[in-house]
């Protein structure tokens, strides 16, 4: 009964760890949306309990509870809105090393004012959009695409996940091999110790019999 409980507990811990890693990667890895930009603006944001989902202030700016943040409003091909924040990541996490939020803002504004015909772009971003806790994905780059039917294969994410999977498999096998060797060494040490104890016991018994 106790072994079954610990087995289930171990499985639950492993599943929770895998779920946490999946959420972390889904938030951090880049994603791309095909949208058309409809507005670019700056808005004052009061940072509260969701401060963790905002990046550091721009370089040379003091850390304040409120500051102006650039936003990009867009529409997906099916008409659903997609709102992005446009913040520098600097040398912080995630490691996108983004320092050009002002340039990105200018590019987005130029695409908004491109003309009457809709201009479709691929916005690379990371993070999540949640209306409940007012968080927005952070736009990293913008590039023109042919139209709303454009499909982009996630080459970076695919290669990254394959490499991480292979490294995890290698480390897992090395860890199992290391643990197995240590267990074998421990068993050998116990057997050697047992033989020594038997020899000492036989010597003592032979002396007492004399």
């Amino acid at each position: 009964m106790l072994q079954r409980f610990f087995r289930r507990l171990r499985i639950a811990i492993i599943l929770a760890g895998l779920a946490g890693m999946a959420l972390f990667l889904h938030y951090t890895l880049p994603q791309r949306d095909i949208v058309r930009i409809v507005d670019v603006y700056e808005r004052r944001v009061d940072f509260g309990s969701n401060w963790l989902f905002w990046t550091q202030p721009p370089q040379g700016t003091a850390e304040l509870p409120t500051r102006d943040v650039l936003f990009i409003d867009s529409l997906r091909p099916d008409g659903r809105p997609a709102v992005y924040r446009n913040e520098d990541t600097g040398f912080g996490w995630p490691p996108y090393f983004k320092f050009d939020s002002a340039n990105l803002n200018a590019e987005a504004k130029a695409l908004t004012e491109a003309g009457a015909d809709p201009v479709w772009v691929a916005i690379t971003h990371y993070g999540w959009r949640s209306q409940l806790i007012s968080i927005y994905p952070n736009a990293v780059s913008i590039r023109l695409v042919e139209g709303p039917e454009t499909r982009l294969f996630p080459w970076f994410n695919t290669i990254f996940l394959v490499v991480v999977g292979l490294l995890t498999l290698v480390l897992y096998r090395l860890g199992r091999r290391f643990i197995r060797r240590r267990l074998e060494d421990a068993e050998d040490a116990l057997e050697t110790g047992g033989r020594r104890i038997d020899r000492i016991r036989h010597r003592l018994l032979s002396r007492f019999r004399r």
Side-chain angles (χ1 to χ4, degrees):
M1 188 69 179
L2 192 60
Q3 290 181 350
R4 184 181 301 176
F5 169 77
F6 281 112
R7 187 180 304 138
R8 291 180 178 177
L9 180 62
R10 183 178 61 183
I11 293 174
I13 293 174
I14 293 174
L15 291 177
L18 291 176
M21 180 61 67
L23 289 174
F24 174 78
L25 291 176
H26 187 267
Y27 181 88
T28 305
L29 290 178
Q31 304 175 41
R32 290 180 292 188
D33 297 335
I34 306 299
V35 298
R36 60 185 181 92
I37 300 173
V38 296
D39 194 12
V40 179
Y41 57 93
E42 190 174 25
R43 177 164 61 87
R44 173 72 62 171
V45 175
D46 297 326
F47 302 99
S49 57
N50 63 352
W51 62 270
L52 186 62
F53 297 96
W54 300 84
T55 60
Q56 63 183 3
Q59 298 297 319
T61 305
E63 191 79 40
L64 298 173
T66 64
R67 58 181 164 87
D68 293 331
V69 178
L70 299 173
F71 285 90
I72 301 173
D73 287 354
S74 64
L75 293 176
R76 302 178 188 271
D78 58 4
R80 292 182 296 121
V83 183
Y84 307 90
R85 57 189 169 94
N86 179 16
E87 293 187 287
D88 288 337
T89 60
F91 294 103
W93 188 267
Y96 284 92
F97 307 108
K98 178 188 173 187
F99 298 93
D100 60 346
S101 58
N103 294 342
L104 192 65
N105 182 68
E107 293 177 18
K109 187 172 294 185
L111 293 170
T112 306
E113 301 169 353
D117 296 332
V119 178
W120 295 96
V121 299
I123 294 185
T124 302
H125 65 88
Y126 71 89
W128 301 323
R129 173 72 174 108
S130 173
Q131 298 180 1
L132 181 63
I133 58 177
S134 296
I135 60 174
Y136 304 86
N138 190 16
V140 177
S141 65
I142 300 173
R143 72 180 181 90
L144 291 169
V145 295
E146 294 181 357
E149 295 83 12
T150 302
R151 296 293 179 268
L152 302 174
F153 188 80
W155 287 107
F156 176 84
N157 291 356
T158 302
I159 296 173
F160 178 83
L161 292 175
V162 168
V163 171
V164 170
L166 291 176
L167 288 176
T168 302
L169 182 61
V170 170
L171 292 176
Y172 173 74
R173 289 186 175 180
L174 290 176
R176 285 192 62 182
R177 189 177 302 174
F178 176 80
I179 293 174
R180 186 178 300 171
R181 288 179 179 176
R182 289 296 174 268
L183 289 175
E184 291 175 355
D185 292 343
E187 290 178 357
D188 293 341
L190 289 174
E191 291 179 1
T192 303
R195 287 195 295 268
R196 289 179 179 176
I197 292 174
D198 289 338
R199 287 196 296 267
I200 294 173
R201 185 181 60 182
H202 287 310
R203 289 176 184 176
L204 292 174
L205 288 176
S206 61
R207 289 181 180 178
F208 283 118
R209 286 173 182 173
R210 291 177 185 174

